[in-house]
Amino acid sequence: MGIFRSIFTVAHVVIVLLLGATMLNAYIPPKVFPFLNLLSLAFPFLMIANLLLCFFWIFSWRKRAFVFLLISTLFLTPVRRWINYSEQKNDNLDFKVLTFNNKYNDYGLEEVKNYIKSFNADVIFLQESGYSGLGNSDFEEMKYSLHNRRISFFSKYQIVEQDTIPLIDKGKSVYADVIIKGKRIRFINVYLEPFQLHKSMVKPTEDLEENGTKAKSLVRRFMPVFKKHEEQVQILKNFIEKSPYPVILAGDFNSVPNSYEYYTISGVLKDCFLESGKGFGTSFHDYKIPIRIDYVFSSENLKSTYYQVDRSRKLSDHYPVLVKFSLKD
């Protein structure tokens, strides 16, 4: 039994070190060492393994259980980026924001349109929408809008300024300044460089050699995209820092929490899920593993009071995210 405990101890130390390595994404960009960003994808599985081993040490009555539990407290905030609990806030509701990658309405234009309308949002961010058939006539209360090749933005309130934020390659972003109850807010819709994956690329088979080939192919595909993301989020960060108005940024980051992309944006804006989210924040369901890649961030002087990932229907490979805001004095 002693040899097994030694093996488990070594394995646990390695897992903790890997968990710690994901936090280095806050400091080390993908162009320097992209494998750290790749490691962020494994964070939920590493954390589950860490907790299982902690329970094992507890039930084995080993003192090392307290050491590993103490170390695990360092990962409380990273865990909250995936699963969180916030107390209900009773602040006044000033406006609602919906962000949704509607996958070009591949699941049915009419169904997607009615689904989006059911949220009665004041501002709508769409990604992978393009010129897919949804316009102002589909959302009667949305009098104002702007569209890009891959993204769309709709607002009940007047847009007083709008433009494209030029990102490299296939990344897309637009901004719109909107006056809500006398306050000018800058809304930024984002769609970062896609990986252009499909299920066959990630689905394991019984052939170990084929799985190895797939894994190598995925790594080759991920690395250049991570480096493009680095440039794209730096452009966004610089744009946000120069904004004279409060900012709400939402969209499909094609990046998980604890990634370089997440750390870069959360350095200048707050993650609304941390402020008002409950339960799981995962928003992409096509691969049946926990992936959170759709976000709503805001400036400090905007308060989110409610955050919901709606899983009631599957009308895209993403679930929509609805966030309610209260304007701070």
Side-chain angles (χ1 to χ4, degrees), residues 66-82:
F66 299 102
V67 175
F68 284 115
L69 285 172
L70 183 63
I71 294 172
S72 296
T73 60
L74 298 174
F75 307 119
L76 288 179
T77 296
V79 167
R80 286 183 59 228
R81 296 174 187 140
W82 295 84

Side-chain angles (χ1 to χ4, degrees), residues 160-161 175 177-180 182-186 244-247:
V160 295
E161 183 181 332
Y175 80 90
D177 288 357
V178 176
I179 306 292
I180 299 180
K183 193 178 187 74
R184 182 164 175 166
I185 300 172
R186 177 158 289 177
Y245 312 109
V247 170

Side-chain angles (χ1 to χ4, degrees), residues 1 30 33 101 114-115 156 164 294 301 319:
M1 190 65 178
F33 194 60
N101 181 320
N114 291 332
Y115 182 48
K156 291 181 180 179
T164 297
D294 300 277
N301 53 350
Y319 292 119

Side-chain angles (χ1 to χ4, degrees), residues 226-255:
F226 288 151
K227 294 174 183 179
K228 291 178 183 178
H229 281 183
E230 178 185 341
E231 293 189 47
Q232 291 170 356
V233 294
Q234 284 298 331
I235 292 170
L236 289 168
K237 179 184 177 183
N238 293 338
F239 185 81
I240 292 165
E241 288 178 329
K242 293 176 182 177
S243 173
Y245 312 109
V247 170
I248 291 177
L249 179 150
D252 179 358
F253 272 55
N254 285 304
S255 309

